[in-house]
Amino acid sequence: MAERDVDIAVIGGGAAALAFAAMCGGRRVTLLERAPRVGKKLLSTGNGKCNLTGLSVSAEDFNDPGFAGGFLTRFPPEKAVSFFGSLGLRTRVTGGRVYPYSESASSVLDALLCAARDRGADILTRREVRAVTKAKDGFLLDVAVLGEKGETVGSERVSASAVVLATGSDAAQGRDSTALFTALGHTARKFAPSLVPLKTDRESVKGLNGVRVKCAAELCGMREEGEILFRDYGLSGIAALNISAMYARGVAKRGDVVTLDLMPECTASETEAYIAAQRGRSAERVLKGLFHSRVAERVAERAGQPLGEAPDAAALARVIKRYTLVLQGTCDASQAQVMSGGLTVREFDDGLCSVIVPGAYAVGEALDVDGLCGGCNLQWAWASAHAAAHALSRA
């Protein structure tokens, strides 16, 4: 078995791992990534454009505002933009969301890789960490060396003074490696898909597959305005993805009601008044003047409204403002942008060092911190990487 001595071993090669390597000064960092290349998931974020952060990202966008808030205060979105600027990456802002100027995630990955290497980081791919044990002066990592087909072709024992778990989750073909730290005494909440399409009763979406609407979606008190994409199994689109967090976090459950407000800019009385004012027009003409024809037909059906007759303003307004669907769950992790769950955050200090096993750190999705769409989860990756890098740079 080959032996390797390193200063800081980082398990994972995603956004948080690379940012940590780019930020950590004065210490030699070695990244151990299972895949053939680092940053694979980063390349798919924001539909390949990489929404780096959002200027309005706040603690309230996360499942644990009390914990996430402190890190966001120390490393807010403005500092993330400044950090990437210091790496030579120009950014642009669209609707409050920050993207690389190229609108290509590969630019972000290239900037992080160059910065990590400039800092002297070693990046080793096809390395699967299978166990982490506490040693007298640090940690021992049992590492499998993988071949082109993922088969084990060798093994290494890595000795490190500190270890950083930055493996993310099993969202979008990722991998859950929190067991490496639960074996050291940590606890974790089981991962559940978040920012993921919702499954609903089929009757409510019958005939609507592929139709997009701008509306407000609500689930268990969480209301999100944005686009909904009807699917034959339920709802996708940014508004549906955001409210899926309520199910992932255990607030919502199967059988709860998802409500769509199809005219969110109008009150119920304003909606009713608008329909009532369309004198001389059939319900069909009124509804198709507002919505896609298939949505119009479903609204009329729900309201018990014959399309060829004069509109019943009150009945139609009730359905328009409250089109309900019954929640049946979510799609699986392969369609999730992020997972809700991970290592218990109270077991880590404000530098994200374990209070159970000193010298062990965790960043990014490995921790039980998940945010909404709009750059929240990458902002957490940068902020958590900064906290751990700052702590280890001073160690």
Side-chain angles (χ1 to χ4, degrees), residues 113-130:
L113 274 171
C114 287
R117 287 169 176 153
D118 287 346
R119 288 276 192 176
D122 290 325
I123 298 174
L124 306 178
T125 57
R126 301 187 192 277
R127 299 298 201 280
E128 182 182 62
V129 179
R130 293 186 171 172

Side-chain angles (χ1 to χ4, degrees), residues 183-270:
L184 295 174
H186 278 278
T187 59
R189 181 166 68 92
K190 184 179 179 181
F191 281 122
S194 190
L195 306 190
V196 64
L198 297 172
K199 291 182 177 180
T200 69
D201 67 289
R202 297 298 181 92
E203 186 281 328
S204 296
V205 296
K206 185 178 179 181
L208 296 174
N209 187 41
V211 175
R212 298 176 185 271
V213 295
K214 294 291 181 66
C215 65
E218 186 170 349
L219 175 62
C220 291
M222 183 178 183
R223 180 181 171 93
E224 286 290 316
E225 290 195 28
E227 184 177 84
I228 284 289
L229 171 61
F230 287 101
R231 307 302 301 180
D232 56 7
Y233 56 77
L235 304 173
S236 187
I238 191 168
L241 298 189
N242 273 337
I243 64 173
S244 74
M246 300 301 280
Y247 187 80
R249 297 169 184 175
V251 178
K253 61 185 185 302
R254 287 173 59 92
D256 284 341
V257 174
V258 178
T259 303
L260 303 183
D261 180 349
L262 300 174
M263 291 185 69
E265 71 281 4
C266 297
T267 65
S269 59
E270 289 170 342

Side-chain angles (χ1 to χ4, degrees), residues 88-163:
L89 184 78
R90 185 178 177 86
T91 56
R92 67 171 84 213
V93 180
T94 303
R97 298 186 177 196
V98 181
Y99 296 89
Y101 193 78
S102 66
E103 295 195 339
S104 173
S106 63
S107 296
V108 180
L109 179 56
D110 288 343
L112 288 171
L113 274 171
C114 287
R117 287 169 176 153
D118 287 346
R119 288 276 192 176
D122 290 325
I123 298 174
L124 306 178
T125 57
R126 301 187 192 277
R127 299 298 201 280
E128 182 182 62
V129 179
R130 293 186 171 172
V132 178
T133 55
K134 189 74 176 75
K136 180 179 179 181
D137 298 319
F139 299 86
L140 291 176
L141 286 68
D142 291 331
V143 181
V145 181
L146 306 180
E148 292 186 1
K149 296 181 179 180
E151 75 280 14
T152 300
V153 297
S155 61
E156 294 178 341
R157 174 158 291 183
V158 176
S159 175
S161 60
V163 62

Side-chain angles (χ1 to χ4, degrees), residues 11 14 41 165-178 189-194 333 336-343 363-367 369-370 377:
I11 306 172
K41 198 154 77 170
L165 186 65
T167 49
S169 70
D170 47 354
Q173 312 303 321
R175 187 177 178 84
D176 172 12
S177 295
T178 52
R189 181 166 68 92
K190 184 179 179 181
F191 281 122
S194 190
Q337 292 186 17
V338 69
M339 300 291 277
S340 180
L343 297 169
V363 296
E365 268 192 278
L367 291 159
V369 177
D370 66 273
N377 291 291

